[in-house]
Amino acid sequence: MKYAAKKLVTMLITLLSISFLVYFAFDIIPGDAALAALGTDSTPERLEALREQLGLNRPFLERYFEWLANFVRGDFGVSYKYKMPVADMISSKLPITVMMALISFAMMVVVSLPLGVYTAMNSGRRIDRLIMVVNQIMMSVPHFFMGIVLTYIFGLVLKLFTPGGFVSYETDFWRFISYLIFPCIAIALPKIAMSVKLLRGSCIEEAAKDYVRTAYSKGNDTRGVLYKHVLRNAMIPVITLWGMTLADMLVGSIVIEQVFNIPGIGRILLTSISYRDYPVVEAVIVLIAAVVIVTNFCVDIIYQIADPRISVGGR
Amino acid sequence: MKKWKAYPVNFRIGAVITGIMLLLIVIGFFYTPYNPTAMDNSAKLAAPGLRHIMGCDNFGRDIFSRVLKGMGNTFLIALATVVIGVVCGTVVGAFTGYYGGWLDEVLMRVNDVVFAFPSILLALVFVSIFGTGKYNVVLALGIAFIPSFARIVRGEFIKYRDMDYVKSARLAGVSNLRIIFVHILPNTLTVMLSSVMIGFNNAVLAEAGMSYLGIGVQPPDASLGSMLSEAQTYLFSAPNYAVFPGLMIILMVLGFSLLADGIKER
């Protein structure tokens, strides 16, 4: 419990610092919000009036805390470009990006767990060596290039999906999912390769330990030892990797959305950057960072449940 | 020098791939078969052949020449990123690990904050504040890489700082700075080497991703990532345009990760 409490405090401090740094970074940009909204050809008087109205003349800290308080309540400010609340712009796109990350994550777990154990059990055999070679190559393929390759093979040659096509989850949920399958494969493949390699290594290392021999000598069969003892310990480093991966997948989907032309959070972020629509950029970045940090916190907690040896003191 | 055959297989394959890649990069700095930015209307989207071994892009520019230049750009950006990360990370890690105390606490908390912030997001923040361009990407990725190196170096310094040889050096009146940089730092090199190589790979992938999104290397300058992004439009008519830049990224990363694995195994 003490461990969880300490991690919780650390998480809150990290969240606070990141929101502060991002707000600060966008505050010191030359050219303020009033200028961005009215354009460079407006009069100084009108600029001053809008600054007053937007509250830009108030001290920095005061504005930061107001922004933070609104942010926590779900009010992310108003977009310069579209003049609509940022929350409304994001809310319909967020499920798309989150769904992509979750599907990719599920793919990774479902494929890498059996494959990792299988290669470990057959280590040194031809099939293991073959899988490991493929694995090593997969680890070197950038996910967006994988996306392009998948588009070419399955979209243009085999015509299994329409490249650039997309159906919103509001119109047809299952067709929406079907359009996400290939983007998710592109995100998941390099991560599958990584976790197969880690799980295989960790299983082999664990299976060579003394307690495994003891378990065998007590009359357990291979399967029993593998699932009851080895896998449990071998999973610990893999869980850490998976935790970091979930965050990676969320961020990675920013790029993959461009490859497959999916209108998710990444698209909003990139167009807002090119329009210098700072309230949107700020909100999306803090939001993604917050999801990443909260995920890491959950992983730390799960990690401790999986491995009770971890505590506050022993680091 | 050990005999070549004594090295693990993956190390040898990695060394060969990396050697070829480095050779191509060096050649690309001094010589390209065509001017990488020269457009040739008669050769638009030409298929690979004897004149253009990788074909031409939508402006009739020679893809092979652009790939050579792009590899050079990617390599230099990744190198600069890793240098920033390693130098700053080593200094932070060395001092916090050696001295401990409140400085350690404060810097490690800062470290955690930067570490929690995904590197692509940091680069996007930099780009939206300072504008697009390769120097901003280098700076952002470099900063994003500091925490992981700092952690590794710090861990090593904690391991060494209470060892007998360090204690006796201190008793002999050696200054702390000399102990840090002359007595302890060389011992951390082996651990650093493989993480530097993995870091380099991450930098290559990150740079390619940035340039793919159009916020890294700016046109008409060539970059493997931006070539892929252009190639996507012509994927059906000219798949070779996408294949070659992609292949080069894969080979660069593959060569280095095999080398890193080989070093770890020894």
Side-chain angles (χ1 to χ4, degrees), chain A residues 256-275:
Chain A
I256 285 294
E257 280 171 17
Q258 300 305 305
V259 180
F260 288 92
N261 210 14
I262 293 169
I265 284 289
R267 170 69 59 79
I268 290 191
L269 182 58
L270 287 167
T271 44
S272 306
I273 286 176
S274 61
Y275 289 137

Side-chain angles (χ1 to χ4, degrees), chain A residues 261-311:
Chain A
N261 210 14
I262 293 169
I265 284 289
R267 170 69 59 79
I268 290 191
L269 182 58
L270 287 167
T271 44
S272 306
I273 286 176
S274 61
Y275 289 137
R276 302 188 168 267
D277 196 347
Y278 295 131
V280 185
V281 179
E282 218 167 49
V284 172
I285 282 179
V286 172
L287 208 59
I288 296 179
V291 174
V292 169
I293 292 164
V294 172
T295 314
N296 287 342
F297 167 74
C298 297
V299 172
D300 278 338
I301 300 300
I302 296 171
Y303 195 52
Q304 200 216 5
I305 296 169
D307 186 0
R309 285 170 297 186
I310 297 167
S311 63

Side-chain angles (χ1 to χ4, degrees), chain A residues 128-307:
Chain A
D128 165 56
R129 267 185 270 159
L130 182 72
I131 294 177
M132 290 323 283
V133 168
V134 175
N135 217 36
Q136 190 73 48
I137 296 171
M138 284 299 161
M139 276 171 67
S140 314
V141 183
H143 59 345
F144 62 94
F145 183 60
M146 184 61 80
I148 295 176
V149 172
L150 291 176
T151 311
Y152 184 71
I153 298 177
F154 295 100
L156 294 174
V157 178
L158 298 176
K159 304 211 187 301
L160 286 182
F161 70 101
T162 325
F166 184 75
V167 175
S168 167
Y169 59 95
E170 279 149 340
T171 34
D172 186 344
F173 184 76
W174 293 109
R175 283 196 61 199
F176 158 73
I177 295 288
S178 77
Y179 271 104
L180 290 189
I181 297 287
F182 286 101
C184 291
I185 293 178
I187 299 176
L189 269 177
K191 306 292 176 193
I192 289 175
M194 248 183 244
S195 68
V196 166
K197 190 179 178 189
L198 186 65
L199 184 59
R200 174 183 176 271
S202 154
C203 274
I204 292 175
E205 193 181 311
E206 205 62 37
K209 286 188 177 163
D210 284 346
Y211 77 88
V212 177
R213 200 171 47 203
T214 313
Y216 276 124
S217 65
K218 278 164 66 186
N220 284 304
D221 62 348
T222 319
R223 252 162 216 284
V225 173
L226 179 70
Y227 293 115
K228 256 166 70 187
H229 302 284
V230 174
L231 202 54
R232 206 195 139 104
N233 287 319
M235 283 301 289
I236 291 166
V238 181
I239 290 175
T240 321
L241 178 78
W242 284 355
M244 291 181 342
T245 309
L246 188 57
D248 263 9
M249 285 174 163
L250 202 69
V251 180
S253 63
I254 295 177
V255 184
I256 285 294
E257 280 171 17
Q258 300 305 305
V259 180
F260 288 92
N261 210 14
I262 293 169
I265 284 289
R267 170 69 59 79
I268 290 191
L269 182 58
L270 287 167
T271 44
S272 306
I273 286 176
S274 61
Y275 289 137
R276 302 188 168 267
D277 196 347
Y278 295 131
V280 185
V281 179
E282 218 167 49
V284 172
I285 282 179
V286 172
L287 208 59
I288 296 179
V291 174
V292 169
I293 292 164
V294 172
T295 314
N296 287 342
F297 167 74
C298 297
V299 172
D300 278 338
I301 300 300
I302 296 171
Y303 195 52
Q304 200 216 5
I305 296 169
D307 186 0

Side-chain angles (χ1 to χ4, degrees), chain B residues 21-22 24-26 28-30 67-85 134-139 141-142 145 199-201 203-208 211 217 221-224 252 256:
Chain B
M21 290 294 117
L22 286 178
L24 285 176
I25 289 168
V26 172
F29 284 137
F30 300 106
V67 163
L68 285 182
K69 278 284 178 225
M71 281 168 70
N73 271 333
T74 303
F75 179 80
L76 287 183
I77 291 174
L79 194 69
T81 304
V82 171
V83 167
I84 294 177
K134 54 184 167 189
Y135 299 109
N136 294 333
V137 168
V138 166
L139 201 60
L141 289 179
F145 278 23
F200 181 84
N201 274 348
V204 169
L205 291 174
E207 187 280 326
S211 298
V217 176
D221 216 359
S223 141
L224 297 178
M252 272 172 96
F256 253 78

